[in-house]
């Protein structure tokens, strides 16, 4: 893979300032103060919310505490989607901090999967990595790795998050400097192998990607798509969208109706999908693309 380490670091250290508030109908023994965290975009909600859970459990009766779940403006947040994807999909055009509501009751069985332990998150994460490698390398790379390599990928995700002291100024930069305990190098020492391809090829067999929209019941769109066209030209993000979801492309004479978001930015449609896959995939090795309505104001 081409070595744009600054891009990889910017993606890895992306953070979202977030305010967690207990749902108003939850019964508490005293007032529940909001809890502020800087959430890593690349992680999963249920992986980084132990402090949130402990904070609100302090004011609740133990018999009222069941499985924790989160929602944003009435939409339950899927824990198996990366945090950055959830934000881009549901809240990318709102002011920070991101206001998430915490629930301990009435788990929405129809909308969310249960997450009973971090083992469940690890199993989901590794299943995605394996699926991505099946698309990229016919599973050859992941199958040649040892169990300890798989574990090192997962341990790399045990990334630091930051506790915020509530104050008047919450204009926090999206990307903070690396903490001393970061796992970036640990993760990429292994993940680099998953991003390589034979020098005689111009890219992966297929690009692992998923396209999400808030305007449909379908969880995501995923199809086979090669990074190189039959004429040898590199396929671009625009080529991918034209083939898979043409409604996302603005006609030359038309008004822009959608934003195409990856990691909180709108990549140029001329960007090769091979480069995006190598540099802007989430740790699960998928390129998660959000198609959201263009803000009207």
């Amino acid at each position: 893979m081409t070595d744009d380490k600054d891009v990889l670091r910017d993606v890895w250290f992306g953070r979202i300032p977030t305010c967690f508030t207990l749902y108003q109908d939850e019964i508490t023994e005293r007032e529940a103060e909001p809890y502020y965290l800087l959430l890593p975009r690349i992680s999963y909600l249920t992986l980084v919310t132990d402090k949130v859970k402990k904070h609100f459990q302090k004011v609740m009766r133990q018999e009222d505490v069941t499985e924790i779940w989160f929602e944003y403006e009435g939409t339950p947040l899927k824990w198996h989607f990366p945090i950055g994807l959830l934000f881009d999909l549901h809240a990318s055009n709102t002011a920070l901090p991101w206001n998430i509501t915490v629930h301990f009751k009435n788990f929405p069985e129809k909308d969310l999967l249960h997450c009973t332990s971090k083992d469940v998150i690890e199993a989901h994460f590794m299943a995605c990595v394996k699926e991505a490698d099946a698309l990229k390398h016919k599973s050859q790379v992941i199958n040649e790795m040892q169990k300890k390599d798989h574990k090192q990928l997962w341990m790399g995700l045990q990334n630091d998050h930051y506790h915020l002291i509530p104050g008047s100024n919450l204009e926090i930069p999206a990307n903070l400097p690396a903490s001393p305990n970061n796992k970036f190098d640990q993760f990429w020492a292994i993940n680099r192998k998953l991003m390589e391809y034979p020098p005689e090829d111009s890219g992966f067999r297929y690009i692992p990607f998923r396209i999400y929209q808030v305007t449909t019941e379908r969880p995501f769109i995923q199809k086979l798509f090669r990074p190189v066209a039959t004429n040898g030209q590199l396929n671009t993000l625009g080529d991918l969208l034209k083939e898979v979801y043409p409604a996302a492309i603005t006609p030359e004479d038309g008004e822009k109706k959608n934003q195409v978001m990856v990691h909180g930015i709108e990549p140029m449609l001329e960007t090769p999908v091979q480069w995006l896959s190598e540099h802007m995939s989430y740790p699960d090795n998928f390129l998660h693309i959000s198609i959201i309505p263009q803000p009207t104001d």
Side-chain angles (χ1 to χ4, degrees):
M1 64 177 287
T2 55
D3 191 16
D4 282 318
K5 259 213 164 174
D6 287 345
V7 177
L8 300 180
R9 285 187 180 277
D10 285 347
V11 167
W12 185 267
F13 294 115
R15 298 289 186 274
I16 302 167
T18 306
C19 173
F20 291 90
T21 308
L22 191 63
Y23 184 55
Q24 59 188 15
D25 287 358
E26 298 277 1
I27 299 168
T28 60
E29 294 177 340
R30 61 183 188 276
E31 185 179 354
E33 294 288 331
Y35 194 81
Y36 294 82
L37 277 181
L38 276 176
L39 296 180
R41 275 185 154 270
I42 60 166
S43 192
Y44 299 90
L45 271 175
T46 39
L47 203 58
V48 296
T49 49
D50 283 349
K51 290 181 180 179
V52 175
K53 190 173 181 180
K54 287 173 186 171
H55 173 78
F56 289 115
Q57 281 183 346
K58 288 176 190 171
V59 301
M60 299 184 68
R61 298 182 315 208
Q62 282 309 109
E63 61 267 28
D64 292 330
V65 175
T66 55
E67 186 170 353
I68 192 171
W69 59 279
F70 305 97
E71 55 112 327
Y72 173 70
E73 292 191 345
T75 301
L77 297 174
K78 294 178 168 62
W79 66 262
H80 62 289
F81 284 10
I83 291 168
L85 168 62
L86 290 172
F87 182 80
D88 291 348
L89 206 52
H90 300 297
S92 57
N93 291 307
T94 58
L96 295 174
W98 185 18
N99 289 300
I100 291 180
T101 304
V102 179
H103 294 260
F104 286 97
K105 293 187 295 191
N106 303 319
F107 190 90
E109 303 279 350
K110 290 182 180 177
D111 299 306
L112 297 182
L113 300 171
H114 286 281
C115 183
T116 51
S117 73
K118 290 182 180 178
D119 292 342
V120 176
I121 313 171
E122 182 180 2
H124 166 74
F125 170 74
M126 285 310 305
C128 290
V129 173
K130 289 174 181 178
E131 182 181 349
D133 196 55
L135 291 166
K136 289 192 283 191
H137 309 110
K138 298 185 183 178
S139 300
Q140 290 171 352
V141 178
I142 197 76
N143 287 344
E144 286 172 4
M145 288 182 180
Q146 298 179 17
K147 184 77 174 174
K148 65 180 179 61
D149 297 327
H150 295 184
K151 204 71 181 175
Q152 187 167 325
L153 283 175
W154 170 243
M155 292 310 294
L157 261 198
Q158 316 304 303
N159 210 325
D160 290 341
H161 46 283
Y162 300 78
H163 178 60
L164 296 182
I165 306 299
S168 57
N169 181 9
L170 280 170
E171 294 181 9
I172 296 150
N175 295 310
L176 290 185
S179 82
N181 300 317
N182 81 74
K183 309 291 179 68
F184 175 83
D185 293 329
Q186 177 182 345
F187 176 82
W188 273 102
I190 303 299
N191 200 57
R192 179 179 50 79
K193 301 170 188 174
L194 294 165
M195 292 296 175
E196 292 173 343
Y197 50 86
E200 64 271 18
D201 296 341
S202 299
F204 305 137
R205 277 177 71 242
Y206 298 104
I207 297 292
F209 75 92
R210 289 172 180 169
I211 292 176
Y212 305 78
Q213 313 145 83
V214 288
T215 53
T216 177
E217 292 296 308
R218 189 175 179 180
F220 52 78
I221 300 170
Q222 180 178 345
K223 294 182 179 179
L224 294 178
F225 187 81
R226 293 188 183 275
V228 184
T230 49
N231 63 3
Q233 294 290 313
L234 289 175
N235 277 324
T236 65
L237 177 59
D239 296 327
L240 171 66
L241 294 171
K242 279 176 199 166
E243 181 169 322
V244 178
Y245 190 65
I249 304 259
T250 305
E252 286 185 18
D253 57 349
E255 183 183 349
K256 185 178 179 183
K257 293 183 179 177
N258 294 296
Q259 290 179 302
V260 180
M261 307 281 286
V262 183
H263 283 294
I265 65 168
E266 291 187 79
M268 295 173 64
L269 295 182
E270 298 80 12
T271 310
V273 286
Q274 177 65 37
W275 187 92
L276 284 173
S277 185
E278 289 179 45
H279 296 91
M280 297 196 72
S281 290
Y282 278 78
D284 64 5
N285 277 240
F286 270 87
L287 193 59
H288 294 292
I289 304 167
S290 301
I291 311 294
I292 57 175
Q294 178 76 7
T296 51
D297 49 326

